[in-house]
Amino acid sequence: MVEVAAPVGEVPAGEVALIACGAIAQPCGRIVQQRGWSVDIHPLPPLLHNRPDLIAGEVEELALQLRPRYSSVAVAYADCGTYGALDSVCARLGLRRLAGLHCYDVFAGQDRLAAFFSEQPGTYVLTDFLVRSFARTVVAELGLDRYPELRDTYFGNYTRVVWLAQEPDAELAHLASKAADCLGLPLTTVDVGTTGLERELTTLLHPTAAPIGCIAKK
Amino acid sequence: MTPDELLKTLYDETLLGNAPAVLALTQQGLDLGLTPESLLFDSLIPSLEEVGARFERGDYFVPEMLIAGRAMSGALALLRPLLAETGVQTVGTFVMGTVKGDVHDIGKNLVNIMLEGAGFHVIDLGVQVPPERFVEAINEYKPDIVGFSAFLTTTMPMFKANINALEKAGIRDQVVVMVGGAPVTQEYADAVGADAYAADASQTVKKAKDLIQKKRAMVSA
Ligand code: B12
């Protein structure tokens, strides 16, 4: 389990506050720990994705609270369906965010993701977070637990599930195949690892640092 | 049940998405002598408008909207032939589709239900509709309006591609182009050269009616 930052109001441990979408806060935390960065993670609820019109406002509010206590604040969100609203907040407050439209771009790379959709427009993407939380973030949110007959209304035009596996293990693989079965779709597993997120986080937090894969000479 | 009570109960059951009750009440309303128009405009449509308002406020999420829409569709299936029989003229013909590369269709389907409820003849081309299919459908059905729906930032540029295809086919002037979908804004609609944008289903109906009136006034002038 990765520790998450102290609540707002307490003395920060790190120099940088990273406001992170709850769907990627954990892997962000692991990378921060491994790299020994002086960064505190402040997650926001992942389910905001279903009300993307609220994301920019929530980020702004938290950033304003955190700014006086840190030397800088960064945003671990992509555009995430805010359709530019998050960019406006970032521009106004002088913050940077992750590149791309959503975290799928961050994990797999924008070109690779675009290729999945152009190969099969009816692609539904899962991340480790979505696989693990599928019952809550997908099934319950879409009401499939209460109205199972809605499955085809949602997914009738879909042809496959693509799992962008970051840190796969047998349990996750089992959950991913259960999730695809639940949607009645075949599963394609693509091992993306965590280098995509690590690269984008490095660019976000340490824009001048050595790229991933290069061993920094001391 | 008095007619007023029936309209109120039908409104409430539609709000809850109780399809069997909505269908039964619609039939009961007809048996009581209520007109199909009254059932639609005094109960079903206002109820679905309230569903849209609740979604906007965050009180409802997608499944609640879907089951309400489904309940309304059931009632519409019963009322549609009766409306046709009474000789009510269709308000206009609307060709609708989700653009190429995009398979989101909940918003589009809700708009279709509301358009049909308001008396439009709707031809739904489904999802992932390529520009040439829109051109074909416009030539075939001669609609007053064509609607493009898109939900992803990456598929919005298809609006422009569709409009270019209509221009190339020489039919851009024959049809009003409306665009919509979660990421779309008025500015974006203007930038791609669409004639109108609407943020939700009831606005779509209102704007579509206005546009048709304007179009017809221009033709007869
Ligand atoms: C439900 C939903 C889904 C369902 C779609 C089911 C279906 N059959 O359509 C499912 C779960 C399958 C899904 C899949 C995906 N989704 Co989705 N989805 C949503 C969600 C939660 C709601 C959309 C919706 O249906 N709203 C309800 C309807 C009623 O509202 P509406 O769409 O805005 O429609 C109204 C108006 O726009 C207007 N309107 C609509 N069409 C038209 C047309 C005309 C002509 C006019 C005038 C008006 C008009 O009237 C409608 C009725 O009032 C949104 C988030 C959100 N809250 O917006 C994300 C969202 C749209 N999805 C998103 C994403 C990323 C995806 C996926 C890529 C995710 C994934 N894990 O793979 C896939 C897409 C894959 C693909 N191949 O396309 C992003 C898009 C981000 C972006 N930058 O493009 C969003 C914004 C979520 C987010 N915050 O990231 N999704």
Side-chain angles (χ1 to χ4, degrees), chain A residues 50-51 79 83 101 121-122 141-143 146-147 149-150 153-154 157-158, chain B residues 56 58 61-64 66-67 70 103 105-106 127-128 151 153-154 183:
Chain A
N50 287 335
R51 294 296 312 274
D79 177 66
Y83 304 123
L101 292 176
E141 275 293 300
L142 296 179
R146 287 160 287 148
Y147 315 106
E149 73 279 11
L150 288 183
T153 312
Y154 286 113
N157 295 316
Y158 285 76
Chain B
E56 284 303 310
F61 190 51
V62 184
E64 289 79 18
L66 278 177
I67 57 162
R70 195 177 53 176
V103 295
D105 62 359
I106 295 173
V127 298
Q128 281 203 65
F151 296 85
T153 322
T154 46

Side-chain angles (χ1 to χ4, degrees), chain A residues 46-53 55 79-84 100-105 113 116-117 120-127 130 137-138 141-142 144 150-160 162 183, chain B residues 48 52 55-56 61-63 65-66 94-98 101-112 114-115 127-128 145-156 159 177-184 196-205 207-208:
Chain A
L47 286 180
L48 278 177
H49 271 83
N50 287 335
R51 294 296 312 274
D53 46 322
I55 293 177
D79 177 66
C80 294
T82 66
Y83 304 123
L101 292 176
H102 18 61
C103 63
Y104 320 121
D105 280 343
L113 200 79
F116 292 143
F117 286 120
Q120 287 193 38
T123 297
Y124 186 64
V125 183
L126 294 178
T127 58
L130 284 173
T137 48
V138 180
E141 275 293 300
L142 296 179
L144 294 173
L150 288 183
R151 185 184 85 174
D152 292 346
T153 312
Y154 286 113
F155 291 97
N157 295 316
Y158 285 76
T159 53
R160 68 166 171 182
V162 169
L183 303 181
Chain B
L48 215 62
F55 182 75
E56 284 303 310
F61 190 51
V62 184
M65 254 187 140
L66 278 177
F94 202 119
V95 162
M96 176 73 111
T98 298
D102 204 328
V103 295
H104 280 85
D105 62 359
I106 295 173
K108 164 185 77 67
N109 294 346
L110 270 166
V111 173
N112 288 350
M114 287 292 270
L115 283 169
V127 298
Q128 281 203 65
I145 304 182
V146 62
F148 307 141
S149 190
F151 296 85
L152 298 169
T153 322
T154 46
T155 55
M156 281 172 25
F159 289 163
V177 173
M178 284 190 85
V179 293
V184 187
Y197 155 78
D200 59 34
S202 30
Q203 245 196 61
T204 307
V205 171
K207 287 201 178 173

Side-chain angles (χ1 to χ4, degrees), chain B residues 165-181:
Chain B
L166 301 195
E167 272 164 7
K168 210 168 145 218
I171 52 176
R172 176 65 186 92
D173 295 341
Q174 292 170 25
V175 68
V176 172
V177 173
M178 284 190 85
V179 293

Side-chain angles (χ1 to χ4, degrees), chain A residues 2-207:
Chain A
V2 167
E3 277 175 45
V4 156
V8 174
E10 285 180 25
V11 181
E15 287 165 33
V16 179
L18 183 67
I19 298 177
C21 167
I24 60 167
Q26 294 235 344
C28 285
R30 277 195 288 276
I31 291 167
V32 163
Q33 227 170 31
Q34 279 158 13
R35 292 217 147 198
W37 290 334
S38 179
V39 173
D40 289 347
I41 314 261
H42 292 268
L44 282 172
L47 286 180
L48 278 177
H49 271 83
N50 287 335
R51 294 296 312 274
D53 46 322
L54 302 180
I55 293 177
E58 294 280 331
V59 168
E60 178 162 22
E61 202 185 313
L62 188 53
L64 290 173
Q65 283 175 35
L66 294 171
R67 227 166 32 171
R69 303 168 41 224
Y70 286 90
S71 51
S72 69
V73 176
V75 180
Y77 269 95
D79 177 66
C80 294
T82 66
Y83 304 123
L86 187 56
D87 282 335
S88 306
V89 166
C90 287
R92 197 151 10 93
L93 302 184
L95 308 176
R96 287 154 50 87
R97 71 158 172 89
L98 293 171
L101 292 176
H102 18 61
C103 63
Y104 320 121
D105 280 343
V106 175
F107 287 125
Q110 295 191 34
D111 293 346
R112 205 159 165 207
L113 200 79
F116 292 143
F117 286 120
S118 72
E119 270 165 33
Q120 287 193 38
T123 297
Y124 186 64
V125 183
L126 294 178
T127 58
D128 288 4
F129 170 82
L130 284 173
V131 166
R132 210 171 274 122
S133 64
F134 190 76
R136 180 172 48 93
T137 48
V138 180
V139 174
E141 275 293 300
L142 296 179
L144 294 173
D145 46 354
R146 287 160 287 148
Y147 315 106
E149 73 279 11
L150 288 183
R151 185 184 85 174
D152 292 346
T153 312
Y154 286 113
F155 291 97
N157 295 316
Y158 285 76
T159 53
R160 68 166 171 182
V161 169
V162 169
W163 172 32
L164 306 178
Q166 299 129 243
E167 297 170 272
D169 57 24
E171 191 205 343
L172 266 187
H174 173 67
L175 289 174
S177 95
K178 253 179 65 178
D181 281 352
C182 167
L183 303 181
L185 296 171
L187 174 71
T188 305
T189 302
V190 181
D191 213 328
V192 294
T194 51
T195 46
L197 178 62
E198 199 166 345
R199 185 179 41 242
E200 293 304 329
L201 267 187
T202 309
T203 312
L204 180 70
L205 295 165
H206 299 275

